[in-house]
Amino acid sequence: MWSAIGAVIPFTQRRAKSVSALGETQLIAAIRRWLGAASPRAPFGMGDDCAVLPAGHRPQLFTVDPVIYGEHFDNTVPPRGVGEKLFKRNLSDIAAMGGRPRAAVVALALDPRMRLAWLEGFYLGLTAVSRRYGVPIVGGDVARHDGGIVATMTLVGEATGSRVVTRTGARAGDWIFVTGVLGGSLASGHHWKFSPRLAEGAWLAGRREVRAMLDVSDGLAKDLRALTPPGAEPALDAAALPLRRGCDMRAALCDGEDYELVFVVTGKTDTAEFLRAWRRSFPRTRLSCIGKFARCGARPAGALNLEDYHGFEHLR
Amino acid sequence: MWSAIGAVIPFTQRRAKSVSALGETQLIAAIRRWLGAASPRAPFGMGDDCAVLPAGHRPQLFTVDPVIYGEHFDNTVPPRGVGEKLFKRNLSDIAAMGGRPRAAVVALALDPRMRLAWLEGFYLGLTAVSRRYGVPIVGGDVARHDGGIVATMTLVGEATGSRVVTRTGARAGDWIFVTGVLGGSLASGHHWKFSPRLAEGAWLAGRREVRAMLDVSDGLAKDLRALTPPGAEPALDAAALPLRRGCDMRAALCDGEDYELVFVVTGKTDTAEFLRAWRRSFPRTRLSCIGKFARCGARPAGALNLEDYHGFEHLR
């Protein structure tokens, strides 16, 4: 049942090795074991009707994202990678507001034929990310879902300083930056191997020249629209786009699942000085100034026309 | 495609009437329309990487529960009822801690053949509950899931007073109470028609004699174990069990999905006086004292032996 590259099919015909051999009560006990210290005791963790979090004194953040078998992962992603991906794509949303994650809950809809070994790997992936970023898993739900696997995580977080950075606030004339490299997320395995840009997002929220931010999930060409102010259009410099090795510009603009931060700084910013400040804080995270927002119709000659590119459109 | 009792099958073969006719961007626009005032504008609602909630000054509550096609609902439940059930079963978890709900997010995994009319009904159900209880839907996710429907809601809430009521704290000698009537939830439609006991839960959290509480989801026989302190066992009075019309004792103990509150008050409590105080506050919500916790091995003659009954065990 193991494929050549070590991935494991989530389902088994051997009942003794499946979730149905345990049933709900024993399965929840196993999940607690797998989570270990990543899950505090009730009422601050699993085991009551709700988890209890201490009152927060800053604006709270609240986000949800799933991983679905056949959509966000397949048999080529190891179960541990699936758990890591679920956690990290939610962390990336907190990073995109410049926030700090506080606690997570996980709801799992699964087929009773699901392989216990697969599920253990999945939870060990969650546990590893929980430990790495110091975010406890405080609750969840396990329910039967014949024929599928849907794991949904919800994260609560909070602002790291006095503000959160939203998608709104860019103006014509502002500079556009992006972290890391773009494109080829699926083929390279980046879609589950990436690191959420939490430290970078928090640093950016502390810089007054940063006006707006998001993380790239459906491709820069699509996601940039959400940052674009009314009456403006992005004017990107094709040569400045940071491409993953082996990727062309179309891949960088359209593939999606980059989980990099795109943000906007005021047009008055000294971009060279900004890049130097960045490198002092994040010497290992590439940062690229990829263009500006221009007034509609005033896109400079040579700037990319993003209307020729489309990001990932779900549910088509 | 409509069944005799007015329910609607969630899927259609006619593409023009399905989710895939819209695609993600237009679908999200439709969802915003259906939610209307139930969803505030970003960043306090849908449309950014996270929703932003003002800082809370009380302990925060955090809970998640799904509804899954084929498990929590089928074609006999109208789509509006499915949305209501999803919201209310999460509200019931907040009620069971004596809390107040603050905000909800909804992640939807759906087949592209899903009927738009069904989905509209589902969201109108969510909207109705949002309005009734004053709880905004501040975010969510929509993703493709061939062959299934999994809708997962996460709620954040907060304590209504200085404390939340957990499942822990009962002692031998304490009285056991239950709200409403039990059993027959599926046949009667109670499983989606119920009202979460939010006002009752908050009132109980304000009474010092209340030591522990939960809501009945898998049947009293199973759920009562979570309230039972070490070295004790429940001693129930069969005649005191509040049965739904047409239900026998086994149904009341085992059916589940009652969404009633079970709670424990100190053995010193004057139960007659407690019941009078209850009726002054909740004249229309039945409350029954159904027994006590006895020391292990000291169950009075005639008390029910709960070991003969089992609640609903998932994933078997």
Side-chain angles (χ1 to χ4, degrees):
Chain A
M1 297 292 267
W2 291 72
S3 87
I5 62 159
V8 58
I9 296 169
F11 304 107
T12 176
Q13 298 304 320
R14 295 166 66 187
R15 190 169 182 281
K17 292 188 175 275
S18 76
V19 160
S20 64
L22 293 189
E24 183 198 16
T25 307
Q26 283 187 67
L27 177 62
I28 290 173
I31 290 173
R32 283 172 188 251
R33 244 184 359 259
W34 297 330
L35 289 174
S39 182
R41 297 190 61 174
F44 304 105
M46 293 166 66
D48 216 306
D49 297 288
C50 301
V52 178
L53 300 180
H57 300 291
R58 293 179 163 169
Q60 300 292 296
L61 303 173
F62 195 17
T63 188
V64 61
D65 258 329
V67 289
I68 301 172
Y69 184 56
E71 184 73 8
H72 303 95
F73 69 94
D74 59 17
N75 298 341
T76 69
V77 182
R80 205 180 155 109
V82 177
E84 294 191 9
K85 176 172 183 172
L86 174 62
F87 213 143
K88 292 188 297 187
R89 67 197 304 255
N90 278 283
L91 290 172
S92 187
D93 281 323
I94 300 279
M97 308 285 283
R100 172 194 300 131
R102 291 187 72 198
V105 294
V106 179
L108 194 59
L110 52 79
D111 192 290
R113 292 166 305 173
M114 194 153 180
R115 195 187 287 278
L116 276 171
W118 193 97
L119 205 59
E120 178 173 4
F122 170 81
Y123 273 97
L124 292 181
L126 290 178
T127 302
V129 176
S130 166
R131 214 166 26 222
R132 196 176 319 144
Y133 295 95
V135 187
I137 295 170
V138 299
D141 184 75
V142 181
R144 177 175 181 146
H145 176 39
D146 290 337
I149 310 171
V150 178
T152 307
M153 173 176 277
T154 309
L155 261 182
V156 290
E158 63 184 4
T160 46
S162 57
R163 70 156 181 168
V164 293
V165 187
T166 68
R167 296 178 168 191
T168 309
R171 298 185 201 171
D174 287 354
W175 298 102
I176 305 168
F177 285 81
V178 65
T179 62
V181 295
L182 302 174
S185 182
L186 204 58
S188 65
H190 178 78
H191 73 104
W192 61 272
K193 293 175 182 165
F194 70 97
S195 295
R197 301 292 192 191
L198 281 163
E200 292 87 344
W203 185 88
L204 290 165
R207 303 281 304 203
R208 307 206 103 212
E209 63 269 56
V210 175
R211 291 211 218 248
M213 180 157 61
L214 54 67
D215 69 324
V216 187
S217 54
D218 291 340
L220 186 66
K222 179 177 168 189
D223 291 338
L224 205 46
R225 285 182 223 150
L227 288 181
T228 306
E233 58 182 316
L236 299 192
D237 172 6
L241 277 180
L243 310 180
R244 186 180 310 285
R245 192 180 306 189
C247 287
D248 62 9
M249 198 173 63
R250 184 166 293 275
L253 291 171
C254 305
D255 282 358
E257 294 223 64
D258 302 299
Y259 302 109
E260 296 292 351
L261 298 178
V262 187
F263 59 91
V264 176
V265 303
T266 61
K268 288 180 293 190
T269 307
D270 176 341
T271 56
E273 172 51 39
F274 187 86
L275 284 162
R276 278 195 296 277
W278 175 273
R279 275 193 292 267
R280 284 195 296 275
S281 294
F282 304 104
R284 297 195 299 180
T285 309
R286 183 165 168 182
L287 182 66
S288 310
C289 180
I290 56 174
K292 302 191 81 158
F293 283 114
R295 281 187 207 292
C296 274
R299 196 173 62 236
L304 267 176
N305 185 356
L306 278 187
E307 283 174 21
D308 298 338
Y309 299 88
H310 300 280
F312 186 73
E313 176 74 7
H314 300 267
L315 291 165
R316 276 292 188 178
Chain B
M1 296 292 268
W2 291 71
S3 88
I5 61 159
V8 57
I9 296 167
F11 304 108
T12 176
Q13 298 305 320
R14 293 166 67 185
R15 191 169 179 281
K17 292 189 174 277
S18 76
V19 159
S20 63
L22 292 190
E24 184 198 16
T25 307
Q26 285 186 63
L27 177 62
I28 290 173
I31 290 173
R32 282 172 189 250
R33 242 182 3 256
W34 296 331
L35 288 174
S39 182
R41 297 190 62 173
F44 304 105
M46 293 167 68
D48 215 307
D49 296 288
C50 301
V52 178
L53 299 180
H57 301 289
R58 293 178 162 169
Q60 300 293 297
L61 303 173
F62 195 16
T63 188
V64 62
D65 259 327
V67 289
I68 301 172
Y69 183 56
E71 184 72 9
H72 302 95
F73 69 95
D74 59 17
N75 298 342
T76 69
V77 182
R80 205 180 155 109
V82 177
E84 294 191 7
K85 176 171 183 174
L86 174 62
F87 212 143
K88 292 188 297 185
R89 69 196 302 255
N90 278 282
L91 291 173
S92 187
D93 281 324
I94 299 279
M97 308 286 282
R100 171 194 301 131
R102 290 187 72 199
V105 292
V106 179
L108 194 59
L110 52 79
D111 193 290
R113 292 166 304 172
M114 194 151 180
R115 193 187 288 276
L116 276 170
W118 193 97
L119 205 58
E120 178 173 5
F122 171 80
Y123 273 98
L124 293 182
L126 290 178
T127 303
V129 176
S130 167
R131 215 167 23 221
R132 196 175 319 145
Y133 295 96
V135 187
I137 295 171
V138 299
D141 185 75
V142 180
R144 178 176 179 144
H145 176 39
D146 290 336
I149 309 170
V150 178
T152 306
M153 173 175 278
T154 309
L155 261 183
V156 291
E158 64 184 4
T160 45
S162 57
R163 70 156 182 168
V164 294
V165 187
T166 69
R167 295 178 169 192
T168 310
R171 296 184 201 170
D174 286 354
W175 297 103
I176 305 168
F177 286 80
V178 66
T179 61
V181 295
L182 303 174
S185 181
L186 204 57
S188 64
H190 178 77
H191 72 105
W192 62 271
K193 293 175 183 166
F194 69 98
S195 296
R197 301 295 191 189
L198 281 163
E200 293 87 343
W203 185 88
L204 290 165
R207 302 282 303 202
R208 308 206 101 213
E209 63 268 56
V210 175
R211 290 213 219 246
M213 180 156 63
L214 55 68
D215 70 322
V216 187
S217 53
D218 292 340
L220 186 67
K222 180 177 169 191
D223 291 338
L224 205 46
R225 287 182 222 149
L227 289 180
T228 307
E233 59 183 314
L236 299 192
D237 173 6
L241 278 179
L243 310 180
R244 185 180 312 284
R245 194 181 304 189
C247 288
D248 62 9
M249 197 173 63
R250 183 165 294 275
L253 291 171
C254 304
D255 282 356
E257 295 223 65
D258 300 300
Y259 302 108
E260 296 292 350
L261 298 177
V262 186
F263 60 90
V264 176
V265 302
T266 60
K268 286 180 294 189
T269 306
D270 176 342
T271 56
E273 171 52 37
F274 187 85
L275 284 162
R276 276 193 297 274
W278 175 273
R279 275 193 293 266
R280 282 193 298 272
S281 295
F282 303 105
R284 297 195 299 182
T285 308
R286 182 163 167 181
L287 182 66
S288 309
C289 180
I290 57 173
K292 302 190 82 159
F293 284 114
R295 280 185 207 295
C296 274
R299 195 174 59 238
L304 268 176
N305 185 358
L306 277 187
E307 284 174 20
D308 298 338
Y309 300 88
H310 302 281
F312 187 73
E313 177 74 5
H314 300 266
L315 291 164
R316 275 295 189 180

